[in-house]
Amino acid sequence: MTAQHTGSTRLLIVGPQGSGKGTQGVRVAEAFGIPVVSTGDIFRANIKEGTELGQQVKEITDAGDLVPDELTSAIVRDRLAQPDAAHGFLLDGYPRNVAQVSHLDDFLIGREESLDAVIELSVPREESLQRLALRAKDQGRTDDTEAAIAHRLDIYERETAPILAVYRTRGIVDTIDGVGDLDEITERIFAALGARGLQRAA
Ligand code: ADP
């Protein structure tokens, strides 16, 4: 049901915190030869470098709250306008609520583009919580405190999960079981995308 495929691949990966979407997103993007556009990574890099944006969003991200939609959408638009995203991209962490979906729609419609597929990585809340507790130990992310994690999962269920309903009406959602071996999960994603006629770069 996708529009005619032109060789560019525009993907979105969605899943709760701890679903492994960051890891899988990088693998899929690499296979398709497209850049990952991760809002979480963009914010973390800016915080690390102490930029004005970083200073603006540090407290918000540490609390596990969402950065204001207008600001986030402006940053994503800038990023998607860069030459390396002209032939496709994989979005990770954006859009995260229905307001951001409409911002992204406006931007893509202006470029006569659309998303080819939305990969939903499905993982039970208990499993997510366990994985995040491990990550908190390994990576020491300042937003991986117990309170911030629980808050982010709540926001996911309340604000992010509903975006899937929007994309489902467009027939572009592939729900992938995110529990199991990492390579196996990657293969599940490739199979689903392949079934849509989305082929990896040679
Ligand atoms: P996680 O998926 O573990 O919550 P991310 O790396 O995706 O981590 O995001 C980290 C933080 O960055 C979020 O908790 C939020 O504060 C901010 N953020 C990321 N993406 C968005 C977005 N699309 N809209 C608003 N805030 C965002």
Side-chain angles (χ1 to χ4, degrees):
M1 252 184 282
T2 42
Q4 194 185 359
H5 197 55
T6 56
S8 302
T9 310
R10 298 183 183 86
L11 303 173
L12 161 63
I13 190 161
V14 182
Q17 289 67 24
S19 61
K21 73 183 162 58
T23 307
Q24 296 297 340
V26 168
R27 290 177 173 209
V28 172
E30 207 162 275
F32 279 85
I34 53 179
V36 174
V37 175
S38 157
T39 42
D41 285 351
I42 293 171
F43 291 140
R44 276 186 292 279
N46 278 276
I47 291 167
K48 201 168 158 210
E49 288 159 24
T51 65
E52 202 182 317
L53 172 66
Q55 291 172 24
Q56 232 175 319
V57 303
K58 167 128 179 59
E59 259 180 57
I60 301 173
T61 59
D62 276 353
D65 284 323
L66 292 191
V67 173
D69 294 334
E70 288 296 343
L71 177 59
T72 306
S73 292
I75 286 160
V76 172
R77 281 195 295 270
D78 271 3
R79 177 65 190 87
L80 293 182
Q82 287 172 29
D84 67 328
H87 300 292
F89 48 78
L90 179 142
L91 286 166
D92 169 359
Y94 179 94
R96 223 176 176 90
N97 58 28
V98 291
Q100 295 181 6
V101 169
S102 73
H103 293 168
L104 178 64
D105 280 345
D106 289 346
F107 175 79
L108 291 178
I109 289 166
R111 304 213 310 182
E112 297 186 344
E113 295 174 1
S114 59
L115 293 178
D116 295 299
V118 176
I119 304 156
E120 177 195 10
L121 262 192
S122 166
V123 172
R125 187 178 171 116
E126 272 313 302
E127 169 99 15
S128 288
L129 284 169
Q130 278 175 15
R131 293 185 191 174
L132 287 164
L134 277 181
R135 183 173 85 186
K137 271 198 220 144
D138 284 0
Q139 298 182 1
R141 257 174 63 166
T142 54
D143 64 344
D144 274 350
T145 62
E146 223 175 296
I149 288 170
H151 187 51
R152 277 167 24 239
L153 275 169
D154 287 343
I155 294 180
Y156 179 81
E157 283 159 19
R158 196 176 61 238
E159 294 195 40
T160 308
I163 77 170
L164 291 165
V166 176
Y167 288 123
R168 257 186 210 110
T169 65
R170 302 181 193 176
I172 57 172
V173 177
D174 288 315
T175 301
I176 307 293
D177 180 1
V179 181
D181 177 72
L182 273 186
D183 290 343
E184 234 168 74
I185 297 166
T186 311
E187 286 306 320
R188 288 176 200 153
I189 297 172
F190 288 153
L193 296 178
R196 292 184 178 277
L198 301 172
Q199 298 301 337
R200 294 175 258 170

